Amino acid sequence: MAKLKVGVLISGRGSNLQALIDACADKDYPAEIVVVISNVPGVAGLDRAEAANIPTVAIDHKAFDGREPFEEAVGEALSAANVQLVCLAGFMRLLTEGFVNHWRDRLINIHPSLLPAFRGIHIHERVIEYGARFSGCTVHFVRPAMDDGPIIIQAVVPVFQDDDPDLLAARVLAQEHRAYPLAVRLIAESRVRVADEQVVIGDFRSQDGAMINPAPE
Ligand code: GRF
């Protein structure tokens, strides 16, 4: 069967991109990355793509007069590569309603919190400051509002009493690297559909058990 053609949008180090690259290295994985686009030239994520022989495009948003012309260039690069699914992976630009609606249900994002809690930035600092006992990550379809949209998959990690944001970020990131390839696989296997703004997954299998934090004595 033909593989789902994925375009990945990045702005930085690209560790989630790497997780997707690694997943795609398996010949049985049902998706392939056909282009990686960064709005910041020279970032490590572009090197990762090049090392994997994936075509890259740097489209510096600063070179454009406003969001629309920038997004037009991004859209052209995606179309030129025949992209079927766009994955935002640490892409730090807000997208206009026009772009988001054009790619509706073909555009996903990974966010390092359990949405709808802790949208935006400085998430891990805010989770710790709030005293939340759990955090995690969310892969969701993108809607025009920031960090909003039907949830595909979430992973949960405990927050420790003596946590610091870097430690928590690393704990969450390790789960991001599992969750994102899994979400893309489910989509590529045509097991994901959106009905009434909720994601319905064919052959849904849930993780067993529950976590309590702090643990029961
Ligand atoms: C990740 O934590 C992701 O959830 C967030 O930005 C970070 C990007 O990291 N949207 P990387 O570039 O994938 O390493």
Side-chain angles (χ1 to χ4, degrees), residues 12-17 89-92 109-112 173 176-177:
R13 79 188 152 179
S15 72
N16 278 291
L17 165 66
F91 181 70
M92 301 304 283
N109 179 44
I110 187 154
H111 180 78
L173 194 65
E176 294 183 42
H177 297 162

Side-chain angles (χ1 to χ4, degrees), residues 13-199:
R13 79 188 152 179
S15 72
N16 278 291
L17 165 66
Q18 187 68 56
L20 292 170
I21 291 171
D22 293 347
C24 291
D26 179 347
K27 67 170 178 29
D28 294 327
Y29 192 74
E32 60 177 329
I33 303 171
V34 291
V35 66
V36 172
I37 301 171
S38 174
N39 69 307
V40 184
V43 292
L46 289 170
D47 298 336
R48 294 177 191 266
E50 276 157 26
N53 290 316
I54 298 166
T56 61
V57 190
I59 304 176
D60 186 350
H61 65 275
K62 292 198 200 106
F64 293 84
D65 189 16
R67 286 186 197 278
E68 275 95 358
F70 163 69
E71 290 176 357
E72 213 166 289
V74 172
E76 276 166 21
L78 292 170
S79 301
N82 295 316
V83 166
Q84 297 169 294
L85 175 73
V86 181
C87 295
L88 307 181
F91 181 70
M92 301 304 283
R93 300 294 297 167
L94 286 176
L95 294 165
T96 65
E97 201 167 335
F99 186 94
V100 169
N101 288 338
H102 177 80
W103 288 96
R104 190 181 171 90
D105 297 345
R106 297 177 298 152
L107 171 62
I108 65 176
N109 179 44
I110 187 154
H111 180 78
S113 80
L114 295 173
L115 290 175
F118 303 104
R119 295 182 160 118
I121 56 170
H122 304 306
I123 290 118
H124 309 295
E125 286 88 337
R126 286 161 49 218
V127 166
I128 290 169
E129 197 177 285
Y130 196 87
R133 297 307 193 202
F134 290 100
S135 191
C137 65
T138 304
V139 182
H140 63 97
F141 286 106
V142 174
R143 294 293 181 260
M146 185 184 59
D147 298 326
D148 183 43
I151 291 171
I152 302 162
I153 189 168
Q154 291 184 310
V156 175
V157 301
V159 180
F160 301 152
Q161 183 142 282
D162 55 356
D163 245 332
D164 74 57
D166 291 342
L167 287 173
L168 178 57
R171 201 174 310 128
V172 171
L173 194 65
Q175 300 311 312
E176 294 183 42
H177 297 162
R178 300 173 67 201
Y180 217 177
L182 179 49
V184 170
R185 181 159 72 76
L186 292 171
I187 292 169
E189 289 174 349
S190 302
R191 288 166 61 190
V192 175
R193 68 188 168 87
V194 183
D196 293 332
E197 285 300 83
Q198 282 205 0
V199 170

